[in-house]
Amino acid sequence: MSYSSGMTPSAANARYTWDDFIALDDEDRRELIDGELVEIEVPTFVHEEIVAGLVYFLRAWVEVGHGGRVVGSGYKVRVSDRRGVMPDVQFYRAGNDAPVAQQQGLVSGRADLVVEIISPSSGRYDRVKKLRWYAQLGVPEYWLVDPVARTLERLVLRGETYEIATSLEDADTFRPESFDGLEIPLVKIWGEAEAT
């Protein structure tokens, strides 16, 4: 997701909470960052194409007998009472039914994987703030996809911090160890125009 400029709210001025965040209309594309509802830019076509591609590959992996649930942009995740985000892709393994009874947003529990598609205005938040927040929640895997650099990084939680387990680019094929049999040719997620 892309963020508008000037998002450095202080905790002293924090006015909004998780309840305010989940009460937003579906069309209201803001995230809760340190008590402020911060606007995110409308996702670009390339961003949404990458999200769709990743959801497609993960969903196909689920359907061949691995189980689990995958959701794209929009499902809210509570980090704290003053922090809430909407990862671009979330994956819940078979047996992790945390979101089933939490239709408005994930208040307790965690995803097994979150993915963020980096844009020029969101890079710092995806690589620093969100990385810390997802680690705080105990999310085992975090994938960062940069469509401009055409890279994908697979980060794995080790203790309380993430380590880069895999770093790929361009036409590499992504085979994450934690998803036995999953193969994602990166050219398939960069889009048809980019793949030719």
Side-chain angles (χ1 to χ4, degrees):
M1 296 287 179
S2 302
Y3 295 87
S4 59
S5 60
M7 55 180 292
T8 55
S10 70
N13 296 328
R15 299 175 294 169
Y16 297 102
T17 67
W18 171 257
D19 291 335
D20 298 313
F21 180 48
I22 60 168
L24 296 175
D25 291 335
D26 290 342
E27 297 81 31
D28 193 332
R29 306 291 291 176
R30 291 185 283 175
E31 289 188 325
L32 181 64
I33 309 294
D34 297 327
E36 291 296 320
L37 291 170
V38 178
E39 289 189 38
I40 57 177
E41 295 172 15
V42 175
T44 64
F45 178 81
V46 169
H47 177 283
E48 292 300 276
E49 194 170 33
I50 291 171
V51 168
L54 291 170
V55 168
Y56 167 80
F57 281 104
L58 287 166
R59 184 73 184 158
W61 186 82
V62 166
E63 293 296 327
V64 296
H66 297 285
R69 300 171 190 276
V70 60
V71 292
S73 308
Y75 184 65
K76 298 174 180 176
V77 173
R78 182 184 186 275
V79 178
S80 71
D81 193 48
R82 302 221 176 256
R83 293 178 179 157
V85 294
M86 294 181 290
D88 291 320
V89 178
Q90 298 176 58
F91 181 80
Y92 297 82
R93 292 191 179 279
N96 182 356
D97 295 327
V100 175
Q102 301 177 67
Q103 293 296 308
Q104 300 304 311
L106 191 69
V107 176
S108 62
R110 54 136 176 91
D112 293 289
L113 163 70
V114 293
V115 182
E116 294 288 357
I117 314 304
I118 296 171
S119 71
S121 64
S122 74
R124 187 178 88 195
Y125 291 94
D126 294 336
R127 291 188 178 279
V128 179
K129 286 187 182 274
K130 286 187 176 182
L131 179 137
R132 288 184 196 143
W133 296 346
Y134 295 143
Q136 174 188 330
L137 292 173
V139 176
E141 255 184 77
Y142 183 26
W143 299 353
L144 286 165
V145 180
D146 187 333
V148 174
R150 291 171 53 112
T151 60
L152 184 150
E153 293 173 298
R154 174 179 171 250
L155 292 89
V156 176
L157 193 62
R158 304 272 190 238
E160 297 179 359
T161 59
Y162 285 107
E163 294 178 3
I164 297 175
T166 310
S167 186
L168 302 169
E169 63 183 347
D170 292 324
D172 290 341
T173 297
F174 181 38
R175 297 177 182 93
E177 296 170 11
S178 53
F179 289 81
D180 185 39
L182 176 64
E183 291 191 0
I184 303 175
L186 294 186
V187 293
K188 297 290 188 181
I189 66 166
W190 303 138
E192 290 302 319
E194 296 293 326
T196 58

